[in-house]
Amino acid sequence: MNWEIAILQALQNIRNSFLTSIMEAITALAESLPLVIVLSILYWCSDKKKTVRIGWAVLCSTVVNGIIKNLIKAPRPFEKGVVTPLRVETATSYSFPSGHTQNATGFWASAMMIFRNRSMYILGIIMIILTAFTRLYLGVHWPVDVIAGIIIGLIVIVVADKLYDEETGFTRWHVLGVGILAFIFLIVPIEKDLLKSVGALWGFVVGCYLEQNYIHFETKGTLKQQILKIIIGLGGAILIYLALKFILQGDLILSMIKYALLVLWLIAGAPYLFKKLLH
């Protein structure tokens, strides 16, 4: 613990406004909104199968991260009075392991596994390390948290990749397995972030199953069609989020349902409209 305190306090001493703005921008890239936007656009307009594979790895990693946090319930360094935190609004749950670091590891490491080229390896490693560093600089995680985030993230994406075949896609067993997981978490007392992740994973798997068996939308299209996809997809997501936020408020179970429906729209609802309206 002493060496961790020394590192965090040393980083706090080098803070300045310019460096802080860079650290906050980098850490933001590993948050839900940027990842959802990037993956959605890639899924709609570029490579459906590869994007699903990355999304599956990231969501599995997020759920595992939440489970571990709820089991260990480690306090964050600023809760111990070690440092003054920055961007504290991103520190919404327990400390161990780092969710941002694990998200970045899940996204970039799975991208490296899929694309397997030198540029992706270099970019991925840099982004994972930088994300981990930002969490220490901002004072919202212990060093052991970010180390664990990288290690656990790597383990999860390897296991998740084994549980998914890009050619056959999701089966009824995937839908059943994630459905059972969601049901278990409905009756077990856990915090809101984990419920959101489980809901998103359930919506993702069900959405992928519906799309691959019944919708079969095309990612290719003219520039105009691709722009319309993004407008319809993201615009619809915003409207659904606002509507569900108003209708389904307060209860943790309703929060899980909200995120399941939102991801279901991104994966199956919007592609259904694309096929009907644009092709």
Side-chain angles (χ1 to χ4, degrees), residues 257-275:
I257 295 172
K258 178 175 71 176
Y259 281 87
L261 292 175
L262 183 60
V263 175
L264 190 60
W265 158 260
L266 295 171
I267 300 300
Y272 177 79
L273 280 185
F274 300 159
K275 187 173 181 179

Side-chain angles (χ1 to χ4, degrees), residues 179 181-190 195 252-254 256-257:
L181 180 69
F183 176 76
I184 291 172
F185 284 123
L186 285 176
I187 60 177
V188 175
I190 55 175
L195 273 177
L252 289 179
I253 295 175
L254 295 180
M256 175 189 278
I257 295 172

Side-chain angles (χ1 to χ4, degrees), residues 59-187:
L59 282 170
C60 285
S61 184
T62 302
V63 170
V64 170
N65 180 270
I67 292 172
I68 296 173
K69 282 187 174 183
N70 276 263
L71 289 173
I72 297 178
K73 297 182 178 180
R76 293 179 182 267
F78 61 85
E79 293 174 326
K80 291 290 189 177
V82 171
V83 288
T84 301
L86 300 174
R87 199 171 166 77
V88 71
E89 66 273 13
T90 65
T92 55
S93 183
Y94 302 109
S95 191
F96 181 92
S98 166
H100 281 69
T101 305
Q102 200 166 321
N103 282 347
T105 302
F107 179 84
W108 290 106
S110 56
M112 285 187 275
M113 285 176 60
I114 292 169
F115 294 103
R116 298 180 182 276
N117 63 67
R118 188 168 179 269
S119 298
M120 183 59 71
Y121 290 141
I122 294 172
L123 179 60
I125 291 170
I126 290 173
M127 290 305 300
I128 292 169
I129 293 173
L130 283 178
T131 302
F133 181 79
T134 65
R135 304 312 285 165
L136 302 180
Y137 176 92
L138 297 172
V140 292
H141 278 291
W142 303 97
V144 70
D145 297 341
V146 300
I147 294 171
I150 294 173
I151 294 172
I152 295 170
L154 291 172
I155 293 171
V156 171
I157 65 164
V158 170
V159 174
D161 205 57
K162 296 293 183 183
L163 295 174
Y164 176 73
D165 188 317
E166 191 177 294
E167 294 305 316
T168 59
F170 289 105
T171 66
R172 293 178 182 178
W173 291 108
H174 288 95
V175 176
L176 179 62
V178 176
I180 292 172
L181 180 69
F183 176 76
I184 291 172
F185 284 123
L186 285 176
I187 60 177

Side-chain angles (χ1 to χ4, degrees), residues 224-241:
K224 180 182 178 181
Q225 288 174 324
Q226 302 292 41
I227 292 173
L228 285 173
K229 282 182 188 178
I230 296 170
I231 293 172
I232 293 170
L234 295 182
I238 293 170
L239 291 176
I240 291 171
Y241 177 82

